[in-house]
Amino acid sequence: MDTDGHRLRQLLITRQLDEQITARFPVGRRLKVLDVAVRDGHQALRLARAGHRVTGLESDQELADAVRRTLLEEPEGIRERTRVIHEDSRNTGAHFLPGSFDVVLCHTGPAPGDEPGPLLAGLGRVLAPGGLLSLVVPNTEAAAMRPGLAGDWAGALERLAPADRALRRDALAAGLAGMSTPLHRWYGVQVFTAPGTPLPGGEEGELLLAAEERAGRTDPYRAVAALLHLCAVRD
């Protein structure tokens, strides 16, 4: 269900996420994973295939049904340890008991202009002590960079987010710390490329992926990435 335009982004986030899971949990441990706003099911299915028990939460009925149809094509063992729930993904804490999951993913929110506090509180509530929260948000503070560098001044002005609409990393980190889930590591996702950029084949694609991976872990480059990947750990 993954498209060519999302493949580069998914690869970068996957490698970052796997790095954090490997560092946090013993090899071979079967984790309880919640994927909030499961969308196309890429991460949920990938983690279920790796042996973890995965719950996907999706507000959009059509998307939830599409992932369920994909699950029908999977082996029985994967189907048994994966479920997709059609519920409001903005109110995660209302659907599960506190501390239910070892890993919580939220790779599609909050959006610019949203109040992130309620979403973060719900995510933190269902995360077990020592659990990993993986949060991907648009880097609104750097959104004007690409049109500006391309000479698109109107586009740059349009994307210069007002302070009250910017998803600031320091504010998100403070919110996470306030709910006993401090930021452990953060990455930039797509420093040099825009979301939707396809990954070329062959050597060109390998070089692009290597450059994006290194820049996404290195200051000052990661601060101007299109997306920010925040990894926090529950106290």
Side-chain angles (χ1 to χ4, degrees):
M1 299 176 66
D2 193 20
T3 64
D4 289 342
H6 292 156
R7 185 163 176 255
L8 174 59
R9 181 191 68 189
Q10 293 283 19
L11 275 172
L12 293 168
I13 293 172
T14 292
R15 293 186 181 191
Q16 295 160 1
L17 175 62
D18 285 353
E19 179 178 84
Q20 291 302 309
I21 289 176
T22 300
R24 178 61 43 189
F25 302 102
V27 175
R29 176 174 167 179
R30 301 311 186 197
L31 302 171
K32 295 179 180 178
V33 180
L34 174 64
D35 189 354
V36 178
V38 69
R39 312 309 287 171
D40 67 1
H42 173 86
Q43 292 293 349
L45 291 169
R46 186 184 70 84
L47 290 168
R49 290 167 185 147
H52 304 300
R53 185 168 295 276
V54 181
T55 300
L57 188 64
E58 178 53 58
S59 304
D60 187 301
Q61 181 71 69
E62 291 186 4
L63 290 174
D65 289 342
V67 177
R68 291 181 181 126
R69 287 194 296 271
T70 301
L71 268 174
L72 294 176
E73 302 172 4
E74 296 289 331
E76 181 179 357
I78 295 174
R79 295 198 307 272
E80 289 177 348
R81 59 177 173 264
T82 308
R83 60 174 178 157
V84 179
I85 301 173
H86 172 230
E87 291 286 357
D88 187 351
S89 58
R90 296 170 299 178
N91 194 19
T92 306
H95 304 306
F96 308 102
L97 294 174
S100 297
F101 298 97
D102 303 303
V103 178
V104 174
L105 314 180
C106 183
H107 291 174
T108 56
D114 287 350
E115 169 50 55
L119 174 63
L120 295 182
L123 298 175
R125 180 178 182 273
V126 300
L127 191 62
L132 173 68
L133 170 61
S134 171
L135 178 68
V136 177
V137 300
N139 187 9
T140 53
E141 292 187 290
M145 290 292 295
R146 285 171 181 78
L149 290 172
D152 177 7
W153 310 122
L157 286 169
E158 182 182 352
R159 289 168 177 79
L160 283 169
D164 62 347
R165 287 184 57 81
L167 290 170
R168 299 186 182 279
R169 177 174 51 84
D170 55 355
L172 291 170
L176 290 166
M179 60 185 211
S180 300
T181 311
L183 185 63
H184 175 70
R185 179 74 188 272
W186 69 277
Y187 305 86
V189 180
Q190 296 197 254
V191 174
F192 304 117
T193 56
T197 300
L199 180 64
E203 184 178 1
E204 181 183 359
E206 293 176 5
L207 289 172
L208 171 56
L209 188 58
E212 286 283 7
E213 273 211 289
R214 185 179 299 182
R217 301 161 188 264
T218 307
D219 290 324
Y221 310 106
R222 61 179 178 165
V224 296
L227 304 167
L228 300 178
H229 183 190
L230 310 181
C231 297
V233 176
R234 182 76 168 174
D235 287 343

